[in-house]
Amino acid sequence: MNIIRNIKRSVFALMTVALFIMTGCSENIDDSNLYTFTGETIEDFLANREDQFSNFNYLLKRTGYDKILSAYGTYTCFAPTNEAVIQYIDSLYDDVSNVDNPHNGMTQKGLEGLTDSLCRDIALFHLLYSEVMAIDMGNGMTMNTMLGRDINSAIDSITGSVTLNSLTQITSMDNELENGVLHIINNVITRSNNLISGELEKHPEFTIFNQALTLTGLADSLSEQERKDIAMPAKIGTGKGSGPIYMPEECKLGYTIFAETDEVYRENGINNLEDLIDYANNIYKDCASANGWYDYYRNHGIQVSTGTDYRNASNTLNMFVRYHILRYIVPYSKMVYSYNETSKVPLYEYYETMLPYTLFKSIRSSGKILLNRWVTNNTLTDRVAEMASASIATVMNEGIEMKRDNIQALNGYIHPIAGLLVYDEYVPKGVLNERLRFDDLSLLPEMMSSKVRFMQPSEVRALLGQASGTAFGGNGNMRIPRNFSNHLVVYNGDNTEIYYLPGQDCNWPNYQGDELLCMGAYDFSFRLPPVPDGTYELRMGYTANGNRGMVQFYLGRSSSLTSMKALDIPLDMRKVPVDNADGSPDNASGTGWCLYTKTDDMGVESDANMHNLGWMRGPLYYARGKGGSLIARADVQDLRRIIAKMQFEQGEYWLRFKTVLPDNTSTEFHLDYIELCPENIYNNSQYVEDMY
């Protein structure tokens, strides 16, 4: 373990040197702040250095967390110096801006004047349940603290040091201790206690957008923070395998705003709110007409308003603002998730906005995150090789760059963007006119707000009080309460057991590494992501193995059982295709699968044969495990089942999963991802769907 950490630290030092060489900011690299091993616990380290940390340790002792940091575990502590703590506490007392809570509730200056809640909030905001080394923070990382609030890291381009929430620097990194790691910092890490609209108001660079948010009344509506009354099962048990289960007992809610700065507006000829209203009118006034592109509004006869009733949801300014807001919390580092991809195509995610049933696309390209980048014939190819040639893949719109600022509010994030974000006709006709793939947990937005999606296995284990997991391949158990998400409906109570497995330290053949697993006599449904009008193939990605069961699919326009209609025949997820040594298709499983590298055309003809049978191989986009060499397309367990080919309208659809083996409650249902692929991709007259 120590050897590995030393290697990591050496790599981090080299990264820092490289940063300086590239930026030319400085030639003097101070590597004296690397850790030393002391044999102490985190609490020992602090207590043995009272001249540096007695003030921070006072907060820990007053809240009882000194005992936790004295005990067995694996924690991260960001320890501010005595001077930093006093400076911060004095600033709290001197703050009288809130007339309802002057001095932030403090009774006097100094440590003794802090309320118990302030002590707790400050202490827990500097502690993590898992161990995070400085090298892990260097590329930008979002860390969930014991307070349940985020810390975002970055590298300061001038000093080369790791910064936390923009204003705090790590001055001594990676002090390795018996129960974790401690980083010394030069300031108390600050956090905002403003709701998202209040935080936006504090930033003068967003004056015009803030005026629009206020005028539409949306500023007053962005106040949710938590869903109460989570339905905990009567008996949690231990699930599959052995070991305890972690179940989130609270469901965090929140928002993400993508906002243009006043400078961006000026660059586009918008100098005030009136100009923005005119711009919104021009963009949206005809979107629901007979020749319009906003299918949901047109199909439902919703009239778009260009009047002054700005609180009307179908007013053009209101529509403009809604397309900038998500009903869930997404930091910059998690806008596009990177884990086990093959890196030959840009990484991507799709997000549903508050403009009803609309999406935008987010991709990572050349170190940037871009929104609604449009490339013609995306997910099509004109040759047998993996990807399309450049001749058919023309960039029509570079996309809108998302800045790294991570402006954090109590219930969300505000992200500055470098262009005008609109749902114009080129979004449904261009950006979204491609194969759309959605990871399982992206179907449940509350999982993102609650920091469950992409939670590290070490975090789950820490919450379970385990040094290492004992079930689900070493991850521990995480069970999702049945009413955790508005996009999830369970029809038979505790008989449906839904588990989330992060999977990052397992060698699983899963998209993005994680998976959703269900056990029991399950019967539940997910709300599908909305897509523009058109004929689509609805597909489900999963991994086949002998522990799986059989599932019947249903589709409905609502979650009501009366709206559900059965799709196809039940899927037997236990059947794993056979890899015939001669490269011939396996007909016994009914899939027609064969190892594509054994064919003369890299699997093109067998792709068509499998498709005719209702099957597809896994994609080239990802591999088995992080850095794995076994690509999903070549993995005999990794399959896509075509559930339906049908006309979809932009709006509400629910996909129901029901076991056909209700008496065998030990079998598993596995959902890895959903694909919605438009007809002009899977049935194109000129090109074929690519292998990614």
Side-chain angles (χ1 to χ4, degrees), residues 428-458:
K429 295 180 180 179
V431 176
L432 302 178
N433 187 21
E434 61 186 26
R435 177 188 58 238
L436 305 166
R437 183 179 298 144
F438 302 86
D439 182 59
D440 46 14
L441 265 286
S442 72
L443 304 175
L444 305 176
E446 294 87 348
M447 299 293 277
M448 183 71 85
S449 297
S450 297
K451 306 176 182 65
V452 173
R453 188 184 180 196
F454 308 143
M455 183 178 282
Q456 296 298 307
S458 58

Side-chain angles (χ1 to χ4, degrees), residues 204-208 260-272 275-276 420:
E205 65 270 31
F206 300 115
T207 298
I208 298 175
E260 299 91 352
T261 62
D262 293 349
E263 180 181 1
V264 169
Y265 283 135
R266 286 193 295 270
E267 291 171 353
N268 288 274
I270 299 171
N271 298 299
N272 50 50
D275 290 345
L276 182 59
L420 301 178

Side-chain angles (χ1 to χ4, degrees), residues 29 197 200 216 239 345 419 432 445 447 473 626 636:
I29 310 302
S197 55
L200 182 72
T216 56
V345 294
L432 302 178
M447 299 293 277
K626 187 173 186 178
V636 71

Side-chain angles (χ1 to χ4, degrees), residues 208 211-213 215 270-278 317:
I208 298 175
Q211 289 173 340
L213 188 73
L215 186 63
I270 299 171
N271 298 299
N272 50 50
L273 180 60
E274 289 71 27
D275 290 345
L276 182 59
I277 292 171
D278 290 341
L317 181 66

Side-chain angles (χ1 to χ4, degrees), residues 184-213:
I184 301 174
I185 55 179
N186 66 345
N187 289 304
V188 170
I189 308 171
T190 57
R191 68 199 183 284
S192 171
N193 286 320
N194 295 311
L195 295 177
I196 196 165
S197 55
E199 184 63 27
L200 182 72
E201 193 174 358
K202 290 177 56 180
H203 292 263
E205 65 270 31
F206 300 115
T207 298
I208 298 175
F209 186 87
N210 183 56
Q211 289 173 340
L213 188 73

Side-chain angles (χ1 to χ4, degrees), residues 240 517-518 544-549 573-574 664 666-669:
K240 175 181 166 58
L517 198 68
C518 189
N545 70 48
N547 296 322
R548 311 297 193 214
M573 306 176 81
R574 299 168 295 186
N664 188 352
S666 64
T667 60
E668 305 167 351
F669 167 76

Side-chain angles (χ1 to χ4, degrees), residues 19-30:
L19 176 68
F20 274 79
I21 292 172
M22 290 187 291
T23 61
C25 296
S26 173
E27 297 178 356
N28 300 315
I29 310 302
D30 181 9

